[in-house]
PDB file of all heavy atoms in Angstrom:
ATOM      1  N   GLN J 179       1.754 -23.360 -86.501  1.00 90.00           N
ATOM      2  CA  GLN J 179       2.171 -22.026 -86.064  1.00 90.00           C
ATOM      3  C   GLN J 179       2.118 -21.094 -87.271  1.00 90.00           C
ATOM      4  O   GLN J 179       2.792 -21.339 -88.267  1.00 90.00           O
ATOM      5  CB  GLN J 179       3.595 -22.048 -85.501  1.00 90.00           C
ATOM      6  CG  GLN J 179       3.754 -22.867 -84.239  1.00 90.00           C
ATOM      7  CD  GLN J 179       5.089 -22.593 -83.589  1.00 90.00           C
ATOM      8  OE1 GLN J 179       5.265 -21.606 -82.874  1.00 90.00           O
ATOM      9  NE2 GLN J 179       6.050 -23.479 -83.825  1.00 90.00           N
ATOM     10  N   PHE J 180       1.335 -20.032 -87.171  1.00 89.00           N
ATOM     11  CA  PHE J 180       1.144 -19.143 -88.314  1.00 89.00           C
ATOM     12  C   PHE J 180       2.091 -17.951 -88.231  1.00 89.00           C
ATOM     13  O   PHE J 180       2.230 -17.329 -87.182  1.00 89.00           O
ATOM     14  CB  PHE J 180      -0.304 -18.664 -88.386  1.00 89.00           C
ATOM     15  CG  PHE J 180      -1.260 -19.767 -88.756  1.00 89.00           C
ATOM     16  CD1 PHE J 180      -1.928 -20.483 -87.769  1.00 89.00           C
ATOM     17  CD2 PHE J 180      -1.471 -20.100 -90.079  1.00 89.00           C
ATOM     18  CE1 PHE J 180      -2.804 -21.510 -88.103  1.00 89.00           C
ATOM     19  CE2 PHE J 180      -2.341 -21.132 -90.422  1.00 89.00           C
ATOM     20  CZ  PHE J 180      -3.012 -21.837 -89.443  1.00 89.00           C
ATOM     21  N   ILE J 181       2.717 -17.629 -89.357  1.00 84.00           N
ATOM     22  CA  ILE J 181       3.684 -16.523 -89.370  1.00 84.00           C
ATOM     23  C   ILE J 181       3.191 -15.346 -90.212  1.00 84.00           C
ATOM     24  O   ILE J 181       3.945 -14.418 -90.485  1.00 84.00           O
ATOM     25  CB  ILE J 181       5.081 -16.981 -89.837  1.00 84.00           C
ATOM     26  CG1 ILE J 181       5.059 -17.534 -91.260  1.00 84.00           C
ATOM     27  CG2 ILE J 181       5.625 -18.022 -88.883  1.00 84.00           C
ATOM     28  CD1 ILE J 181       6.452 -17.869 -91.778  1.00 84.00           C
ATOM     29  N   MET J 182       1.941 -15.389 -90.629  1.00 81.00           N
ATOM     30  CA  MET J 182       1.282 -14.239 -91.241  1.00 81.00           C
ATOM     31  C   MET J 182       0.000 -13.997 -90.449  1.00 81.00           C
ATOM     32  O   MET J 182      -0.419 -14.830 -89.649  1.00 81.00           O
ATOM     33  CB  MET J 182       0.979 -14.498 -92.727  1.00 81.00           C
ATOM     34  CG  MET J 182       2.229 -14.673 -93.582  1.00 81.00           C
ATOM     35  SD  MET J 182       1.881 -15.180 -95.296  1.00 81.00           S
ATOM     36  CE  MET J 182       1.078 -13.693 -95.926  1.00 81.00           C
ATOM     37  N   ALA J 183      -0.613 -12.866 -90.675  1.00 77.00           N
ATOM     38  CA  ALA J 183      -1.787 -12.509 -89.874  1.00 77.00           C
ATOM     39  C   ALA J 183      -2.946 -13.473 -90.096  1.00 77.00           C
ATOM     40  O   ALA J 183      -3.657 -13.837 -89.166  1.00 77.00           O
ATOM     41  CB  ALA J 183      -2.233 -11.080 -90.201  1.00 77.00           C
ATOM     42  N   TRP J 184      -3.162 -13.899 -91.326  1.00 83.00           N
ATOM     43  CA  TRP J 184      -4.285 -14.776 -91.626  1.00 83.00           C
ATOM     44  C   TRP J 184      -3.961 -16.209 -91.222  1.00 83.00           C
ATOM     45  O   TRP J 184      -2.874 -16.702 -91.499  1.00 83.00           O
ATOM     46  CB  TRP J 184      -4.596 -14.709 -93.112  1.00 83.00           C
ATOM     47  CG  TRP J 184      -5.861 -15.423 -93.480  1.00 83.00           C
ATOM     48  CD1 TRP J 184      -5.978 -16.679 -93.979  1.00 83.00           C
ATOM     49  CD2 TRP J 184      -7.196 -14.920 -93.361  1.00 83.00           C
ATOM     50  NE1 TRP J 184      -7.292 -17.001 -94.183  1.00 83.00           N
ATOM     51  CE2 TRP J 184      -8.079 -15.940 -93.809  1.00 83.00           C
ATOM     52  CE3 TRP J 184      -7.734 -13.719 -92.907  1.00 83.00           C
ATOM     53  CZ2 TRP J 184      -9.458 -15.779 -93.831  1.00 83.00           C
ATOM     54  CZ3 TRP J 184      -9.110 -13.563 -92.926  1.00 83.00           C
ATOM     55  CH2 TRP J 184      -9.951 -14.578 -93.388  1.00 83.00           C
ATOM     56  N   GLN J 185      -4.912 -16.876 -90.610  1.00 84.00           N
ATOM     57  CA  GLN J 185      -4.729 -18.266 -90.206  1.00 84.00           C
ATOM     58  C   GLN J 185      -5.538 -19.162 -91.144  1.00 84.00           C
ATOM     59  O   GLN J 185      -6.732 -19.348 -90.968  1.00 84.00           O
ATOM     60  CB  GLN J 185      -5.149 -18.460 -88.753  1.00 84.00           C
ATOM     61  CG  GLN J 185      -4.311 -17.619 -87.797  1.00 84.00           C
ATOM     62  CD  GLN J 185      -4.549 -17.958 -86.343  1.00 84.00           C
ATOM     63  OE1 GLN J 185      -5.190 -18.935 -86.013  1.00 84.00           O
ATOM     64  NE2 GLN J 185      -4.004 -17.138 -85.455  1.00 84.00           N
ATOM     65  N   GLY J 186      -4.876 -19.674 -92.167  1.00 92.00           N
ATOM     66  CA  GLY J 186      -5.546 -20.447 -93.199  1.00 92.00           C
ATOM     67  C   GLY J 186      -5.194 -21.921 -93.137  1.00 92.00           C
ATOM     68  O   GLY J 186      -5.414 -22.583 -92.132  1.00 92.00           O
ATOM     69  N   ALA J 187      -4.626 -22.444 -94.232  1.00 96.00           N
ATOM     70  CA  ALA J 187      -4.317 -23.869 -94.329  1.00 96.00           C
ATOM     71  C   ALA J 187      -3.315 -24.285 -93.259  1.00 96.00           C
ATOM     72  O   ALA J 187      -2.357 -23.568 -92.958  1.00 96.00           O
ATOM     73  CB  ALA J 187      -3.760 -24.184 -95.717  1.00 96.00           C
ATOM     74  N   ARG J 188      -3.567 -25.451 -92.673  1.00 96.00           N
ATOM     75  CA  ARG J 188      -2.678 -26.033 -91.669  1.00 96.00           C
ATOM     76  C   ARG J 188      -2.669 -27.532 -91.876  1.00 96.00           C
ATOM     77  O   ARG J 188      -3.396 -28.058 -92.717  1.00 96.00           O
ATOM     78  CB  ARG J 188      -3.145 -25.692 -90.260  1.00 96.00           C
ATOM     79  CG  ARG J 188      -4.466 -26.364 -89.871  1.00 96.00           C
ATOM     80  CD  ARG J 188      -4.886 -25.966 -88.464  1.00 96.00           C
ATOM     81  NE  ARG J 188      -5.333 -24.590 -88.408  1.00 96.00           N
ATOM     82  CZ  ARG J 188      -5.423 -23.888 -87.281  1.00 96.00           C
ATOM     83  NH1 ARG J 188      -5.062 -24.440 -86.130  1.00 96.00           N
ATOM     84  NH2 ARG J 188      -5.844 -22.650 -87.291  1.00 96.00           N
ATOM     85  N   SER J 207      -5.315 -29.280 -94.399  1.00 97.00           N
ATOM     86  CA  SER J 207      -6.746 -28.973 -94.353  1.00 97.00           C
ATOM     87  C   SER J 207      -6.966 -27.478 -94.548  1.00 97.00           C
ATOM     88  O   SER J 207      -6.039 -26.675 -94.382  1.00 97.00           O
ATOM     89  CB  SER J 207      -7.349 -29.414 -93.015  1.00 97.00           C
ATOM     90  OG  SER J 207      -6.701 -28.760 -91.935  1.00 97.00           O
ATOM     91  N   ASN J 208      -8.208 -27.121 -94.903  1.00 95.00           N
ATOM     92  CA  ASN J 208      -8.614 -25.727 -95.063  1.00 95.00           C
ATOM     93  C   ASN J 208      -7.836 -25.029 -96.178  1.00 95.00           C
ATOM     94  O   ASN J 208      -7.416 -23.887 -96.055  1.00 95.00           O
ATOM     95  CB  ASN J 208      -8.440 -24.952 -93.747  1.00 95.00           C
ATOM     96  CG  ASN J 208      -9.200 -23.630 -93.742  1.00 95.00           C
ATOM     97  OD1 ASN J 208     -10.245 -23.531 -94.372  1.00 95.00           O
ATOM     98  ND2 ASN J 208      -8.687 -22.642 -93.045  1.00 95.00           N
ATOM     99  N   ALA J 209      -7.650 -25.714 -97.295  1.00 96.00           N
ATOM    100  CA  ALA J 209      -6.907 -25.164 -98.425  1.00 96.00           C
ATOM    101  C   ALA J 209      -7.864 -24.745 -99.543  1.00 96.00           C
ATOM    102  O   ALA J 209      -8.939 -25.321 -99.714  1.00 96.00           O
ATOM    103  CB  ALA J 209      -5.913 -26.186 -98.953  1.00 96.00           C
ATOM    104  N   GLU J 210      -7.451 -23.735-100.325  1.00 95.00           N
ATOM    105  CA  GLU J 210      -8.275 -23.241-101.422  1.00 95.00           C
ATOM    106  C   GLU J 210      -8.021 -23.982-102.737  1.00 95.00           C
ATOM    107  O   GLU J 210      -8.771 -23.853-103.689  1.00 95.00           O
ATOM    108  CB  GLU J 210      -8.013 -21.743-101.654  1.00 95.00           C
ATOM    109  CG  GLU J 210      -8.528 -20.841-100.560  1.00 95.00           C
ATOM    110  CD  GLU J 210     -10.042 -20.837-100.462  1.00 95.00           C
ATOM    111  OE1 GLU J 210     -10.723 -21.162-101.457  1.00 95.00           O
ATOM    112  OE2 GLU J 210     -10.556 -20.526 -99.370  1.00 95.00           O
ATOM    113  N   HIS J 219       5.690 -20.320-104.521  1.00 96.00           N
ATOM    114  CA  HIS J 219       5.451 -20.209-103.083  1.00 96.00           C
ATOM    115  C   HIS J 219       4.123 -19.522-102.767  1.00 96.00           C
ATOM    116  O   HIS J 219       3.665 -19.539-101.625  1.00 96.00           O
ATOM    117  CB  HIS J 219       6.606 -19.467-102.399  1.00 96.00           C
ATOM    118  CG  HIS J 219       6.688 -18.015-102.750  1.00 96.00           C
ATOM    119  ND1 HIS J 219       7.277 -17.559-103.911  1.00 96.00           N
ATOM    120  CD2 HIS J 219       6.253 -16.908-102.095  1.00 96.00           C
ATOM    121  CE1 HIS J 219       7.202 -16.243-103.962  1.00 96.00           C
ATOM    122  NE2 HIS J 219       6.584 -15.821-102.872  1.00 96.00           N
ATOM    123  N   GLU J 220       3.487 -18.912-103.772  1.00 96.00           N
ATOM    124  CA  GLU J 220       2.187 -18.274-103.576  1.00 96.00           C
ATOM    125  C   GLU J 220       1.042 -19.265-103.788  1.00 96.00           C
ATOM    126  O   GLU J 220      -0.126 -18.923-103.595  1.00 96.00           O
ATOM    127  CB  GLU J 220       2.027 -17.104-104.553  1.00 96.00           C
ATOM    128  CG  GLU J 220       3.062 -16.006-104.407  1.00 96.00           C
ATOM    129  CD  GLU J 220       2.700 -14.980-103.350  1.00 96.00           C
ATOM    130  OE1 GLU J 220       1.580 -15.061-102.811  1.00 96.00           O
ATOM    131  OE2 GLU J 220       3.527 -14.102-103.071  1.00 96.00           O
ATOM    132  N   GLN J 221       1.337 -20.483-104.227  1.00 97.00           N
ATOM    133  CA  GLN J 221       0.311 -21.489-104.488  1.00 97.00           C
ATOM    134  C   GLN J 221       0.055 -22.330-103.237  1.00 97.00           C
ATOM    135  O   GLN J 221       0.884 -22.377-102.328  1.00 97.00           O
ATOM    136  CB  GLN J 221       0.766 -22.397-105.632  1.00 97.00           C
ATOM    137  CG  GLN J 221       1.082 -21.669-106.926  1.00 97.00           C
ATOM    138  CD  GLN J 221       1.687 -22.587-107.977  1.00 97.00           C
ATOM    139  OE1 GLN J 221       1.835 -23.795-107.770  1.00 97.00           O
ATOM    140  NE2 GLN J 221       2.050 -22.017-109.124  1.00 97.00           N
ATOM    141  N   ASP J 222      -1.094 -23.001-103.201  1.00 98.00           N
ATOM    142  CA  ASP J 222      -1.335 -23.964-102.121  1.00 98.00           C
ATOM    143  C   ASP J 222      -0.311 -25.086-102.255  1.00 98.00           C
ATOM    144  O   ASP J 222      -0.327 -25.848-103.229  1.00 98.00           O
ATOM    145  CB  ASP J 222      -2.751 -24.523-102.213  1.00 98.00           C
ATOM    146  CG  ASP J 222      -3.772 -23.636-101.515  1.00 98.00           C
ATOM    147  OD1 ASP J 222      -3.625 -23.435-100.299  1.00 98.00           O
ATOM    148  OD2 ASP J 222      -4.693 -23.137-102.175  1.00 98.00           O
ATOM    149  N   SER J 223       0.588 -25.179-101.276  1.00 98.00           N
ATOM    150  CA  SER J 223       1.702 -26.117-101.389  1.00 98.00           C
ATOM    151  C   SER J 223       2.285 -26.416-100.025  1.00 98.00           C
ATOM    152  O   SER J 223       1.994 -25.738 -99.038  1.00 98.00           O
ATOM    153  CB  SER J 223       2.795 -25.542-102.303  1.00 98.00           C
ATOM    154  OG  SER J 223       3.278 -24.308-101.788  1.00 98.00           O
ATOM    155  N   GLN J 299       6.524 -26.528 -93.813  1.00 98.00           N
ATOM    156  CA  GLN J 299       5.757 -25.306 -94.025  1.00 98.00           C
ATOM    157  C   GLN J 299       4.587 -25.590 -94.952  1.00 98.00           C
ATOM    158  O   GLN J 299       4.702 -26.363 -95.899  1.00 98.00           O
ATOM    159  CB  GLN J 299       6.656 -24.223 -94.636  1.00 98.00           C
ATOM    160  CG  GLN J 299       5.969 -22.906 -94.928  1.00 98.00           C
ATOM    161  CD  GLN J 299       6.949 -21.823 -95.314  1.00 98.00           C
ATOM    162  OE1 GLN J 299       7.955 -21.605 -94.614  1.00 98.00           O
ATOM    163  NE2 GLN J 299       6.693 -21.138 -96.415  1.00 98.00           N
ATOM    164  N   ILE J 300       3.456 -24.952 -94.681  1.00 98.00           N
ATOM    165  CA  ILE J 300       2.282 -25.042 -95.546  1.00 98.00           C
ATOM    166  C   ILE J 300       1.938 -23.642 -96.029  1.00 98.00           C
ATOM    167  O   ILE J 300       1.717 -22.737 -95.216  1.00 98.00           O
ATOM    168  CB  ILE J 300       1.078 -25.652 -94.799  1.00 98.00           C
ATOM    169  CG1 ILE J 300       1.374 -27.095 -94.395  1.00 98.00           C
ATOM    170  CG2 ILE J 300      -0.182 -25.587 -95.665  1.00 98.00           C
ATOM    171  CD1 ILE J 300       0.312 -27.709 -93.496  1.00 98.00           C
ATOM    172  N   ASN J 301       1.893 -23.463 -97.341  1.00 98.00           N
ATOM    173  CA  ASN J 301       1.518 -22.190 -97.945  1.00 98.00           C
ATOM    174  C   ASN J 301       0.046 -22.231 -98.323  1.00 98.00           C
ATOM    175  O   ASN J 301      -0.397 -23.139 -99.036  1.00 98.00           O
ATOM    176  CB  ASN J 301       2.356 -21.918 -99.200  1.00 98.00           C
ATOM    177  CG  ASN J 301       3.837 -21.898 -98.905  1.00 98.00           C
ATOM    178  OD1 ASN J 301       4.280 -21.214 -97.987  1.00 98.00           O
ATOM    179  ND2 ASN J 301       4.620 -22.639 -99.665  1.00 98.00           N
ATOM    180  N   GLY J 302      -0.722 -21.269 -97.824  1.00 97.00           N
ATOM    181  CA  GLY J 302      -2.147 -21.235 -98.097  1.00 97.00           C
ATOM    182  C   GLY J 302      -2.500 -20.082 -99.022  1.00 97.00           C
ATOM    183  O   GLY J 302      -2.314 -18.912 -98.669  1.00 97.00           O
ATOM    184  N   ALA J 303      -2.984 -20.400-100.223  1.00 96.00           N
ATOM    185  CA  ALA J 303      -3.360 -19.365-101.182  1.00 96.00           C
ATOM    186  C   ALA J 303      -4.790 -18.896-100.938  1.00 96.00           C
ATOM    187  O   ALA J 303      -5.619 -19.630-100.383  1.00 96.00           O
ATOM    188  CB  ALA J 303      -3.223 -19.898-102.604  1.00 96.00           C
ATOM    189  N   SER J 304      -5.087 -17.683-101.360  1.00 95.00           N
ATOM    190  CA  SER J 304      -6.442 -17.159-101.294  1.00 95.00           C
ATOM    191  C   SER J 304      -7.177 -17.500-102.585  1.00 95.00           C
ATOM    192  O   SER J 304      -6.595 -18.026-103.541  1.00 95.00           O
ATOM    193  CB  SER J 304      -6.423 -15.636-101.113  1.00 95.00           C
ATOM    194  OG  SER J 304      -5.939 -15.014-102.297  1.00 95.00           O
ATOM    195  N   ILE J 308      -3.238 -15.431-104.173  1.00 94.00           N
ATOM    196  CA  ILE J 308      -2.162 -14.766-103.439  1.00 94.00           C
ATOM    197  C   ILE J 308      -1.964 -15.512-102.122  1.00 94.00           C
ATOM    198  O   ILE J 308      -2.937 -15.841-101.443  1.00 94.00           O
ATOM    199  CB  ILE J 308      -2.505 -13.286-103.148  1.00 94.00           C
ATOM    200  CG1 ILE J 308      -2.712 -12.534-104.464  1.00 94.00           C
ATOM    201  CG2 ILE J 308      -1.419 -12.631-102.304  1.00 94.00           C
ATOM    202  CD1 ILE J 308      -3.258 -11.144-104.275  1.00 94.00           C
ATOM    203  N   ARG J 309      -0.718 -15.788-101.760  1.00 96.00           N
ATOM    204  CA  ARG J 309      -0.471 -16.472-100.491  1.00 96.00           C
ATOM    205  C   ARG J 309      -0.940 -15.599 -99.335  1.00 96.00           C
ATOM    206  O   ARG J 309      -0.441 -14.505 -99.130  1.00 96.00           O
ATOM    207  CB  ARG J 309       1.021 -16.805-100.340  1.00 96.00           C
ATOM    208  CG  ARG J 309       1.312 -17.637 -99.100  1.00 96.00           C
ATOM    209  CD  ARG J 309       2.733 -18.139 -99.062  1.00 96.00           C
ATOM    210  NE  ARG J 309       3.688 -17.071 -98.836  1.00 96.00           N
ATOM    211  CZ  ARG J 309       4.997 -17.260 -98.619  1.00 96.00           C
ATOM    212  NH1 ARG J 309       5.486 -18.491 -98.636  1.00 96.00           N
ATOM    213  NH2 ARG J 309       5.806 -16.254 -98.442  1.00 96.00           N
ATOM    214  N   GLN J 310      -1.904 -16.113 -98.572  1.00 94.00           N
ATOM    215  CA  GLN J 310      -2.447 -15.328 -97.463  1.00 94.00           C
ATOM    216  C   GLN J 310      -2.112 -15.921 -96.099  1.00 94.00           C
ATOM    217  O   GLN J 310      -2.347 -15.287 -95.078  1.00 94.00           O
ATOM    218  CB  GLN J 310      -3.958 -15.188 -97.597  1.00 94.00           C
ATOM    219  CG  GLN J 310      -4.732 -16.496 -97.423  1.00 94.00           C
ATOM    220  CD  GLN J 310      -6.231 -16.305 -97.494  1.00 94.00           C
ATOM    221  OE1 GLN J 310      -6.710 -15.201 -97.720  1.00 94.00           O
ATOM    222  NE2 GLN J 310      -6.978 -17.371 -97.299  1.00 94.00           N
ATOM    223  N   SER J 311      -1.588 -17.151 -96.065  1.00 94.00           N
ATOM    224  CA  SER J 311      -1.219 -17.730 -94.778  1.00 94.00           C
ATOM    225  C   SER J 311      -0.011 -18.642 -94.951  1.00 94.00           C
ATOM    226  O   SER J 311       0.196 -19.232 -96.006  1.00 94.00           O
ATOM    227  CB  SER J 311      -2.383 -18.512 -94.164  1.00 94.00           C
ATOM    228  OG  SER J 311      -2.585 -19.739 -94.850  1.00 94.00           O
ATOM    229  N   VAL J 312       0.779 -18.725 -93.888  1.00 95.00           N
ATOM    230  CA  VAL J 312       1.923 -19.638 -93.840  1.00 95.00           C
ATOM    231  C   VAL J 312       1.911 -20.308 -92.472  1.00 95.00           C
ATOM    232  O   VAL J 312       2.012 -19.631 -91.444  1.00 95.00           O
ATOM    233  CB  VAL J 312       3.262 -18.906 -94.049  1.00 95.00           C
ATOM    234  CG1 VAL J 312       4.427 -19.879 -93.885  1.00 95.00           C
ATOM    235  CG2 VAL J 312       3.315 -18.258 -95.421  1.00 95.00           C
ATOM    236  N   ALA J 313       1.762 -21.623 -92.464  1.00 95.00           N
ATOM    237  CA  ALA J 313       1.827 -22.395 -91.223  1.00 95.00           C
ATOM    238  C   ALA J 313       3.133 -23.177 -91.205  1.00 95.00           C
ATOM    239  O   ALA J 313       3.556 -23.710 -92.237  1.00 95.00           O
ATOM    240  CB  ALA J 313       0.638 -23.347 -91.125  1.00 95.00           C
ATOM    241  N   VAL J 314       3.782 -23.234 -90.033  1.00 96.00           N
ATOM    242  CA  VAL J 314       5.074 -23.905 -89.933  1.00 96.00           C
ATOM    243  C   VAL J 314       5.079 -24.846 -88.729  1.00 96.00           C
ATOM    244  O   VAL J 314       4.237 -24.747 -87.836  1.00 96.00           O
ATOM    245  CB  VAL J 314       6.234 -22.900 -89.794  1.00 96.00           C
ATOM    246  CG1 VAL J 314       6.324 -22.005 -91.019  1.00 96.00           C
ATOM    247  CG2 VAL J 314       6.089 -22.056 -88.530  1.00 96.00           C
TER     248      VAL J 314
END
Side-chain angles (χ1 to χ4, degrees):
Q179 295 192 81
F180 291 95
I181 61 175
M182 296 173 68
W184 188 262
Q185 299 189 10
R188 68 181 72 198
S207 59
N208 196 31
E210 290 294 337
H219 69 279
E220 300 275 354
Q221 303 173 3
D222 275 300
S223 59
Q299 179 171 310
I300 296 172
N301 302 310
S304 69
I308 300 171
R309 186 171 70 173
Q310 67 177 3
S311 73
V312 176
V314 298

